[in-house]
Coordinates of all heavy atoms in Angstrom, one line a residue:
M103 N 124.6 80.6 42.3 CA 124.3 81.6 43.3 C 125.4 81.8 44.3 O 125.2 82.5 45.3 CB 122.9 81.3 43.9 CG 121.8 81.3 42.9 SD 120.2 80.8 43.7 CE 119.9 82.1 44.8
R104 N 126.5 81.2 44.1 CA 127.6 81.3 45.0 C 127.4 80.8 46.4 O 128.0 81.3 47.3 CB 128.1 82.8 45.0 CG 128.4 83.4 43.6 CD 129.8 83.3 43.2 NE 130.0 84.0 42.0 CZ 130.5 83.4 40.9 NH1 130.8 82.2 40.9 NH2 130.7 84.1 39.8
L105 N 126.5 79.8 46.5 CA 126.3 79.2 47.9 C 127.3 78.1 48.0 O 127.7 77.4 47.0 CB 124.9 78.7 48.0 CG 123.8 79.8 48.1 CD1 122.4 79.2 48.0 CD2 123.9 80.6 49.4
P106 N 127.6 77.7 49.3 CA 128.4 76.5 49.5 C 127.7 75.3 48.9 O 126.5 75.2 49.0 CB 128.6 76.5 51.0 CG 128.3 77.8 51.5 CD 127.3 78.5 50.5
L107 N 128.5 74.3 48.5 CA 127.9 73.1 47.9 C 127.0 72.4 48.9 O 125.9 71.9 48.5 CB 129.0 72.2 47.4 CG 128.6 70.9 46.7 CD1 127.9 71.3 45.4 CD2 129.7 70.0 46.4
K108 N 127.4 72.3 50.1 CA 126.6 71.5 51.1 C 125.3 72.2 51.4 O 124.3 71.5 51.5 CB 127.4 71.4 52.4 CG 128.6 70.5 52.2 CD 129.4 70.4 53.5 CE 130.7 69.5 53.3 NZ 131.5 69.5 54.5
V109 N 125.3 73.5 51.4 CA 124.0 74.3 51.6 C 123.1 74.1 50.5 O 121.9 73.8 50.6 CB 124.3 75.7 51.9 CG1 123.1 76.6 52.0 CG2 125.2 75.9 53.2
S110 N 123.6 74.3 49.3 CA 122.7 74.2 48.1 C 122.2 72.7 47.9 O 121.1 72.5 47.5 CB 123.4 74.6 46.8 OG 124.6 73.9 46.6
T111 N 123.0 71.7 48.2 CA 122.6 70.4 48.1 C 121.5 70.0 49.1 O 120.5 69.4 48.8 CB 123.8 69.4 48.3 OG1 124.8 69.7 47.3 CG2 123.4 68.0 48.1
A112 N 121.7 70.5 50.3 CA 120.7 70.2 51.4 C 119.4 70.9 51.0 O 118.3 70.3 51.2 CB 121.2 70.7 52.7
T113 N 119.4 72.1 50.5 CA 118.2 72.9 50.1 C 117.5 72.2 49.0 O 116.3 72.0 49.0 CB 118.6 74.3 49.7 OG1 119.2 74.9 50.8 CG2 117.3 75.1 49.4
S114 N 118.3 71.7 48.0 CA 117.7 71.0 46.9 C 117.0 69.7 47.3 O 115.9 69.4 46.9 CB 118.8 70.7 45.8 OG 118.3 70.0 44.8
N115 N 117.7 69.0 48.1 CA 117.1 67.7 48.6 C 115.8 68.0 49.4 O 114.9 67.2 49.4 CB 118.1 67.0 49.5 CG 119.1 66.3 48.6 OD1 118.9 66.0 47.5 ND2 120.3 66.0 49.2
F116 N 115.8 69.0 50.2 CA 114.6 69.3 51.0 C 113.5 69.6 50.1 O 112.4 69.1 50.3 CB 114.9 70.6 51.9 CG 113.7 71.0 52.7 CD1 113.2 70.2 53.8 CD2 113.1 72.1 52.3 CE1 112.1 70.6 54.5 CE2 111.9 72.6 53.0 CZ 111.5 71.8 54.1
M117 N 113.7 70.4 49.1 CA 112.6 70.8 48.1 C 112.1 69.6 47.4 O 110.9 69.4 47.1 CB 113.0 71.9 47.2 CG 113.3 73.2 47.9 SD 111.9 73.8 48.9 CE 110.6 73.9 47.7
I118 N 113.0 68.7 47.0 CA 112.7 67.5 46.3 C 111.8 66.6 47.2 O 110.8 66.0 46.8 CB 113.9 66.7 45.7 CG1 114.5 67.5 44.6 CG2 113.5 65.3 45.3 CD1 115.9 67.1 44.1
G119 N 112.3 66.5 48.5 CA 111.5 65.7 49.4 C 110.1 66.2 49.7 O 109.2 65.4 49.8
I120 N 109.9 67.5 49.7 CA 108.6 68.1 49.9 C 107.7 67.7 48.7 O 106.6 67.3 48.8 CB 108.7 69.6 50.1 CG1 109.4 70.0 51.4 CG2 107.3 70.3 50.0 CD1 108.7 69.5 52.6
T121 N 108.2 67.9 47.5 CA 107.5 67.6 46.3 C 107.2 66.1 46.2 O 106.0 65.7 45.9 CB 108.3 68.0 45.1 OG1 108.6 69.4 45.2 CG2 107.5 67.8 43.8
A122 N 108.1 65.3 46.5 CA 107.9 63.8 46.5 C 106.9 63.4 47.5 O 106.1 62.5 47.2 CB 109.2 63.1 46.7
G123 N 106.9 64.0 48.7 CA 106.0 63.6 49.7 C 104.6 64.0 49.3 O 103.6 63.2 49.5
A124 N 104.4 65.1 48.7 CA 103.0 65.5 48.3 C 102.6 64.6 47.2 O 101.4 64.1 47.2 CB 103.0 67.0 47.8
S125 N 103.4 64.3 46.2 CA 103.1 63.3 45.1 C 102.8 62.0 45.7 O 101.8 61.3 45.2 CB 104.2 63.3 44.1 OG 104.5 64.6 43.6
A126 N 103.6 61.5 46.6 CA 103.4 60.1 47.2 C 102.0 60.0 47.8 O 101.4 59.0 47.7 CB 104.5 59.8 48.1
A127 N 101.6 61.1 48.6 CA 100.3 61.0 49.2 C 99.2 60.9 48.2 O 98.2 60.1 48.4 CB 100.1 62.3 50.0
I128 N 99.3 61.6 47.1 CA 98.3 61.5 46.0 C 98.3 60.2 45.4 O 97.2 59.6 45.2 CB 98.5 62.7 45.0 CG1 98.2 64.0 45.6 CG2 97.6 62.4 43.8 CD1 98.7 65.2 44.8
Y129 N 99.5 59.7 45.0 CA 99.5 58.3 44.4 C 99.0 57.2 45.4 O 98.4 56.3 45.0 CB 101.0 58.0 44.0 CG 101.4 58.8 42.7 CD1 102.5 59.6 42.7 CD2 100.7 58.6 41.6 CE1 102.9 60.3 41.6 CE2 101.0 59.3 40.4 CZ 102.1 60.1 40.4 OH 102.5 60.8 39.3
F130 N 99.4 57.4 46.7 CA 98.9 56.4 47.6 C 97.4 56.4 47.7 O 96.8 55.3 47.8 CB 99.5 56.6 49.0 CG 99.2 55.6 50.0 CD1 99.8 54.4 50.0 CD2 98.3 55.9 51.0 CE1 99.5 53.4 50.9 CE2 98.0 54.9 52.0 CZ 98.6 53.7 51.9
R131 N 96.8 57.6 47.8 CA 95.3 57.7 47.9 C 94.7 57.1 46.6 O 93.6 56.5 46.7 CB 95.0 59.1 48.0 CG 93.5 59.3 48.5 CD 93.2 60.8 48.8 NE 94.3 61.6 48.3 CZ 94.2 62.9 48.4 NH1 93.2 63.5 48.8 NH2 95.2 63.7 47.9
Q132 N 95.3 57.2 45.5 CA 94.8 56.6 44.2 C 95.0 55.1 44.1 O 94.5 54.5 43.2 CB 95.4 57.4 43.0 CG 95.0 58.8 43.0 CD 93.6 59.1 42.7 OE1 92.9 58.3 42.1 NE2 93.0 60.2 43.3
G133 N 95.8 54.6 45.0 CA 96.1 53.1 44.9 C 97.2 52.7 44.0 O 97.3 51.6 43.6
F134 N 98.1 53.7 43.6 CA 99.2 53.4 42.7 C 100.5 53.0 43.3 O 101.5 52.8 42.6 CB 99.5 54.6 41.8 CG 98.3 55.0 40.9 CD1 97.8 56.2 40.8 CD2 97.8 54.0 40.0 CE1 96.8 56.6 39.9 CE2 96.7 54.3 39.2 CZ 96.2 55.6 39.1
I135 N 100.5 52.9 44.6 CA 101.8 52.6 45.4 C 101.7 51.2 45.9 O 100.7 50.8 46.6 CB 102.0 53.6 46.5 CG1 102.3 55.0 45.8 CG2 103.2 53.1 47.4 CD1 102.6 56.0 46.8
D136 N 102.7 50.4 45.6 CA 102.8 49.0 46.1 C 103.5 49.0 47.5 O 104.7 49.2 47.5 CB 103.5 48.1 45.1 CG 103.6 46.7 45.5 OD1 103.0 46.3 46.5 OD2 104.3 45.9 44.9
P137 N 102.8 48.7 48.6 CA 103.4 48.8 49.9 C 104.6 47.8 50.1 O 105.5 48.1 50.8 CB 102.3 48.5 50.9 CG 101.1 48.7 50.1 CD 101.4 48.5 48.7
V138 N 104.6 46.7 49.4 CA 105.6 45.7 49.4 C 106.9 46.3 48.9 O 108.0 46.0 49.4 CB 105.2 44.4 48.7 CG1 106.4 43.4 48.7 CG2 104.0 43.8 49.4
L139 N 106.8 47.1 47.8 CA 108.0 47.7 47.2 C 108.4 49.0 48.0 O 109.6 49.2 48.2 CB 107.7 48.1 45.8 CG 108.8 48.8 45.0 CD1 110.0 47.9 44.8 CD2 108.3 49.2 43.7
V140 N 107.5 49.7 48.5 CA 107.8 51.0 49.2 C 108.5 50.8 50.5 O 109.3 51.6 50.9 CB 106.5 51.8 49.4 CG1 106.7 53.0 50.3 CG2 105.9 52.2 48.0
G141 N 108.2 49.7 51.2 CA 108.8 49.5 52.5 C 110.3 49.5 52.5 O 111.0 50.3 53.2
P142 N 110.9 48.6 51.7 CA 112.4 48.5 51.6 C 113.0 49.8 51.0 O 114.0 50.3 51.5 CB 112.7 47.3 50.7 CG 111.4 46.5 50.7 CD 110.3 47.4 51.0
V143 N 112.3 50.4 50.1 CA 112.8 51.7 49.5 C 112.8 52.8 50.5 O 113.8 53.5 50.6 CB 112.0 52.1 48.2 CG1 112.3 53.5 47.8 CG2 112.2 51.1 47.1
T144 N 111.8 52.8 51.3 CA 111.7 53.9 52.4 C 112.8 53.6 53.4 O 113.5 54.6 53.8 CB 110.4 53.8 53.1 OG1 109.4 54.0 52.1 CG2 110.2 54.9 54.1
R145 N 113.0 52.4 53.8 CA 114.1 52.1 54.8 C 115.5 52.5 54.2 O 116.3 53.0 54.9 CB 114.0 50.7 55.2 CG 112.9 50.4 56.2 CD 113.0 49.0 56.9 NE 112.9 47.9 55.9 CZ 111.7 47.4 55.6 NH1 110.6 47.9 56.1 NH2 111.6 46.5 54.7
G146 N 115.7 52.1 53.0 CA 117.0 52.4 52.3 C 117.2 53.9 52.2 O 118.3 54.5 52.4
T147 N 116.1 54.6 51.8 CA 116.2 56.1 51.7 C 116.5 56.8 53.0 O 117.4 57.7 53.1 CB 114.9 56.7 51.1 OG1 114.7 56.0 49.8 CG2 115.0 58.2 50.9
L148 N 115.8 56.3 54.1 CA 116.0 56.9 55.4 C 117.4 56.6 55.9 O 118.1 57.5 56.4 CB 114.9 56.4 56.3 CG 115.0 56.9 57.8 CD1 114.8 58.4 57.7 CD2 113.9 56.3 58.6
G149 N 117.8 55.4 55.7 CA 119.2 55.0 56.1 C 120.3 55.8 55.4 O 121.2 56.3 56.0
G150 N 120.1 56.0 54.1 CA 121.0 56.8 53.3 C 121.0 58.2 53.7 O 122.1 58.9 53.8
A151 N 119.8 58.8 54.1 CA 119.8 60.2 54.5 C 120.5 60.4 55.8 O 121.2 61.3 56.0 CB 118.3 60.6 54.6
V152 N 120.3 59.4 56.8 CA 120.9 59.5 58.1 C 122.4 59.4 57.9 O 123.2 60.2 58.5 CB 120.4 58.4 59.0 CG1 121.2 58.3 60.3 CG2 118.9 58.7 59.4
L153 N 122.9 58.4 57.1 CA 124.3 58.3 56.9 C 124.9 59.5 56.2 O 126.0 60.0 56.6 CB 124.5 57.0 56.0 CG 126.0 56.7 55.7 CD1 126.8 56.4 57.0 CD2 126.1 55.5 54.7
G154 N 124.2 60.0 55.2 CA 124.7 61.2 54.5 C 124.8 62.4 55.4 O 125.7 63.2 55.4
A155 N 123.8 62.6 56.3 CA 123.8 63.7 57.2 C 124.9 63.6 58.2 O 125.6 64.5 58.6 CB 122.5 63.8 58.0
W156 N 125.3 62.3 58.6 CA 126.4 62.1 59.5 C 127.7 62.3 58.8 O 128.6 62.9 59.5 CB 126.3 60.7 60.0 CG 127.4 60.3 61.0 CD1 127.5 60.7 62.3 CD2 128.6 59.6 60.6 NE1 128.7 60.2 62.8 CE2 129.4 59.5 61.8 CE3 129.0 58.9 59.5 CZ2 130.6 58.8 61.8 CZ3 130.2 58.3 59.5 CH2 131.0 58.2 60.6
M157 N 127.8 61.9 57.6 CA 129.1 62.1 56.9 C 129.3 63.5 56.3 O 130.5 63.9 56.1 CB 129.1 61.1 55.7 CG 129.2 59.7 56.0 SD 129.1 58.6 54.6 CE 130.4 59.1 53.6
L158 N 128.3 64.3 56.1 CA 128.4 65.6 55.5 C 129.4 66.5 56.1 O 130.3 67.1 55.4 CB 127.1 66.3 55.4 CG 127.0 67.6 54.6 CD1 127.3 67.3 53.2 CD2 125.6 68.2 54.8
P159 N 129.5 66.6 57.4 CA 130.5 67.5 58.0 C 131.9 67.1 57.9 O 132.8 67.9 58.0 CB 130.1 67.6 59.5 CG 128.7 67.1 59.6 CD 128.5 66.2 58.4
H160 N 132.1 65.8 57.6 CA 133.4 65.2 57.5 C 134.0 65.1 56.1 O 135.2 64.8 55.9 CB 133.4 63.8 58.2 CG 132.9 63.8 59.5 ND1 133.5 64.3 60.6 CD2 131.7 63.3 60.0 CE1 132.7 64.2 61.7 NE2 131.6 63.5 61.3
L161 N 133.2 65.5 55.1 CA 133.6 65.3 53.7 C 134.1 66.6 53.1 O 133.6 67.7 53.4 CB 132.5 64.7 52.9 CG 132.0 63.3 53.2 CD1 130.9 62.9 52.4 CD2 133.2 62.3 53.0
S162 N 135.0 66.5 52.2 CA 135.5 67.6 51.5 C 134.6 67.8 50.2 O 134.0 66.9 49.7 CB 136.9 67.4 51.0 OG 137.3 68.4 50.1
T163 N 134.5 69.1 49.8 CA 133.7 69.4 48.6 C 134.6 69.6 47.4 O 134.1 70.1 46.4 CB 132.8 70.6 48.8 OG1 133.7 71.7 49.1 CG2 131.8 70.4 49.9
R164 N 135.8 69.1 47.4 CA 136.7 69.3 46.3 C 136.3 68.5 45.1 O 136.3 69.0 44.0 CB 138.2 69.0 46.7 CG 138.7 70.0 47.7 CD 140.1 69.7 47.9 NE 140.9 70.8 47.3 CZ 142.2 70.9 47.4 NH1 142.9 70.0 47.9 NH2 142.7 72.0 46.8
W165 N 136.0 67.2 45.2 CA 135.7 66.4 44.1 C 134.3 66.4 43.7 O 134.0 66.3 42.5 CB 136.2 65.0 44.3 CG 135.4 64.2 45.3 CD1 135.7 64.1 46.6 CD2 134.2 63.4 45.0 NE1 134.8 63.3 47.2 CE2 133.8 62.9 46.3 CE3 133.5 63.2 43.9 CZ2 132.7 62.1 46.4 CZ3 132.3 62.4 44.1 CH2 132.0 61.9 45.3
P166 N 133.3 66.6 44.6 CA 131.9 66.5 44.1 C 131.5 67.7 43.2 O 130.7 67.5 42.3 CB 131.1 66.6 45.4 CG 132.0 66.2 46.5 CD 133.3 66.6 46.1
R167 N 132.0 68.9 43.4 CA 131.6 70.0 42.6 C 131.9 69.8 41.1 O 131.0 69.9 40.3 CB 132.3 71.3 43.1 CG 131.8 72.5 42.4 CD 132.4 73.8 43.0 NE 132.1 74.0 44.4 CZ 131.1 74.7 44.8 NH1 130.3 75.2 44.0 NH2 130.9 74.8 46.1
P168 N 133.2 69.5 40.7 CA 133.4 69.2 39.3 C 132.7 68.0 38.8 O 132.3 68.0 37.6 CB 134.9 69.1 39.2 CG 135.5 69.0 40.6 CD 134.4 69.5 41.5
F169 N 132.6 67.0 39.6 CA 131.9 65.8 39.2 C 130.4 66.1 38.8 O 129.9 65.7 37.8 CB 132.0 64.7 40.3 CG 131.2 63.5 40.0 CD1 131.6 62.5 39.0 CD2 130.0 63.2 40.6 CE1 130.8 61.4 38.7 CE2 129.2 62.1 40.4 CZ 129.7 61.2 39.4
F170 N 129.7 66.7 39.8 CA 128.3 67.0 39.5 C 128.1 68.0 38.4 O 127.1 68.0 37.8 CB 127.6 67.4 40.8 CG 127.4 66.2 41.7 CD1 128.0 66.1 43.0 CD2 126.6 65.1 41.3 CE1 127.8 65.0 43.8 CE2 126.4 64.0 42.1 CZ 127.0 64.0 43.4
A171 N 129.1 69.0 38.3 CA 129.0 69.9 37.2 C 129.0 69.2 35.9 O 128.3 69.5 34.9 CB 130.1 70.9 37.3
R172 N 129.9 68.2 35.8 CA 129.9 67.4 34.5 C 128.6 66.6 34.3 O 128.1 66.5 33.2 CB 131.1 66.5 34.5 CG 132.4 67.2 34.4 CD 133.6 66.2 34.3 NE 134.8 66.9 34.1 CZ 135.7 67.3 35.1 NH1 135.4 67.0 36.3 NH2 136.8 67.9 34.8
V173 N 128.1 66.0 35.4 CA 126.9 65.2 35.3 C 125.7 66.1 34.8 O 125.0 65.7 33.9 CB 126.6 64.5 36.6 CG1 125.2 63.9 36.6 CG2 127.6 63.4 36.9
V174 N 125.6 67.2 35.5 CA 124.5 68.1 35.1 C 124.7 68.7 33.7 O 123.7 68.8 32.9 CB 124.4 69.3 36.2 CG1 123.4 70.4 35.7 CG2 123.9 68.8 37.5
G175 N 125.9 69.0 33.3 CA 126.2 69.4 32.0 C 125.8 68.4 30.9 O 125.1 68.6 29.9
F176 N 126.2 67.1 31.2 CA 125.8 66.0 30.3 C 124.3 65.8 30.2 O 123.8 65.7 29.1 CB 126.5 64.7 30.8 CG 126.0 63.5 30.0 CD1 126.5 63.3 28.8 CD2 125.1 62.6 30.6 CE1 126.1 62.1 28.0 CE2 124.7 61.5 29.9 CZ 125.2 61.3 28.6
L177 N 123.6 65.9 31.4 CA 122.2 65.7 31.3 C 121.5 66.8 30.6 O 120.5 66.6 29.9 CB 121.6 65.6 32.8 CG 122.0 64.3 33.5 CD1 121.6 64.4 35.0 CD2 121.5 63.1 32.8
G178 N 122.0 68.1 30.7 CA 121.5 69.2 30.0 C 121.6 69.0 28.5 O 120.7 69.3 27.8
I179 N 122.8 68.6 28.1 CA 123.0 68.3 26.6 C 122.1 67.2 26.2 O 121.5 67.3 25.1 CB 124.5 68.0 26.4 CG1 125.3 69.2 26.6 CG2 124.7 67.4 25.0 CD1 126.8 68.9 26.6
E180 N 121.9 66.2 27.0 CA 121.0 65.1 26.6 C 119.6 65.5 26.5 O 118.9 65.2 25.5 CB 121.1 63.9 27.6 CG 120.3 62.7 27.2 CD 120.4 61.6 28.2 OE1 121.0 61.8 29.3 OE2 119.9 60.5 27.9
I181 N 119.1 66.4 27.4 CA 117.8 66.9 27.3 C 117.6 67.8 26.1 O 116.6 67.7 25.4 CB 117.4 67.7 28.6 CG1 117.3 66.7 29.8 CG2 116.2 68.5 28.4 CD1 117.2 67.4 31.1
L182 N 118.6 68.6 25.8 CA 118.5 69.4 24.6 C 118.5 68.6 23.3 O 117.7 68.8 22.4 CB 119.6 70.4 24.5 CG 119.6 71.5 25.6 CD1 120.9 72.4 25.5 CD2 118.4 72.4 25.3
W183 N 119.3 67.5 23.3 CA 119.3 66.6 22.2 C 117.9 65.9 22.0 O 117.4 65.8 20.9 CB 120.4 65.6 22.3 CG 120.4 64.6 21.2 CD1 120.0 63.3 21.3 CD2 120.9 64.8 19.9 NE1 120.2 62.7 20.0 CE2 120.7 63.6 19.2 CE3 121.4 65.9 19.2 CZ2 121.0 63.5 17.8 CZ3 121.7 65.8 17.9 CH2 121.5 64.6 17.2
E184 N 117.4 65.4 23.1 CA 116.0 64.8 23.0 C 115.0 65.8 22.5 O 114.1 65.4 21.7 CB 115.6 64.2 24.3 CG 116.5 63.0 24.8 CD 116.3 61.8 23.9 OE1 115.1 61.6 23.4 OE2 117.2 61.0 23.7
A185 N 115.0 67.0 23.0 CA 114.1 68.0 22.5 C 114.2 68.3 21.1 O 113.3 68.4 20.3 CB 114.2 69.3 23.4
W186 N 115.5 68.4 20.6 CA 115.8 68.6 19.2 C 115.2 67.5 18.3 O 114.6 67.7 17.3 CB 117.3 68.8 19.0 CG 117.6 69.0 17.6 CD1 118.0 68.0 16.7 CD2 117.7 70.2 16.8 NE1 118.3 68.5 15.5 CE2 118.1 69.9 15.5 CE3 117.4 71.5 17.1 CZ2 118.2 70.8 14.5 CZ3 117.5 72.4 16.1 CH2 117.9 72.1 14.9
C187 N 115.5 66.3 18.8 CA 115.0 65.1 18.0 C 113.5 65.0 18.0 O 112.9 64.7 17.0 CB 115.6 63.8 18.6 SG 117.4 63.6 18.3
A188 N 112.8 65.4 19.1 CA 111.4 65.3 19.2 C 110.8 66.4 18.3 O 109.7 66.2 17.7 CB 110.9 65.5 20.6
W189 N 111.5 67.6 18.2 CA 110.9 68.7 17.4 C 111.1 68.5 15.9 O 110.2 68.8 15.2 CB 111.7 70.0 17.9 CG 111.2 71.2 17.2 CD1 111.7 71.8 16.1 CD2 110.1 72.0 17.6 NE1 111.0 72.9 15.8 CE2 110.0 73.1 16.7 CE3 109.2 71.9 18.6 CZ2 109.0 74.0 16.8 CZ3 108.2 72.9 18.7 CH2 108.1 73.9 17.8
H190 N 112.3 67.9 15.6 CA 112.6 67.7 14.1 C 112.4 66.3 13.7 O 112.8 66.0 12.5 CB 114.0 68.2 13.8 CG 114.2 69.7 14.1 ND1 113.2 70.6 13.8 CD2 115.2 70.3 14.6 CE1 113.7 71.8 14.1 NE2 114.9 71.7 14.6
G191 N 112.0 65.4 14.5 CA 112.0 64.0 14.2 C 110.8 63.5 13.5 O 110.6 62.6 12.9

């Protein structure tokens, strides 16, 4: 969509966060979440988000764009391969 990498990444993370928050509330209500495990994961996620937000204005987008393009391309090929194997296997 020709958006800057930082803008599209932030928007994507926001949408994933909203979806994960809604899912987490449902799983917590059903008793599927272990609070002993969630505590450290939450602290690490929050710390990483704060650190990432602090570093974002200072980082260049020269290397992440081709790197993530390769990662997404590889994952797309892997998904297509798994679908092919499931369909014909």
Side-chain angles (χ1 to χ4, degrees):
M103 296 178 66
R104 308 264 187 238
L105 290 173
L107 183 65
K108 293 177 183 179
V109 172
S110 59
T111 303
T113 303
S114 176
N115 283 335
F116 176 73
M117 293 308 298
I118 290 170
I120 295 295
T121 305
S125 300
I128 293 169
Y129 285 123
F130 185 74
R131 194 172 13 172
Q132 297 292 328
F134 293 130
I135 293 180
D136 181 9
V138 174
L139 179 64
V140 171
V143 170
T144 303
R145 284 192 294 274
T147 303
L148 182 60
V152 170
L153 181 64
W156 178 78
M157 291 175 59
L158 187 63
H160 308 289
L161 295 177
S162 168
T163 59
R164 292 186 111 175
W165 71 267
R167 185 179 302 268
F169 173 75
F170 286 119
R172 287 184 180 95
V173 169
V174 170
F176 173 76
L177 292 174
I179 291 169
E180 185 178 8
I181 289 170
L182 290 172
W183 177 254
E184 291 293 328
W186 176 267
C187 290
W189 184 266
H190 295 321

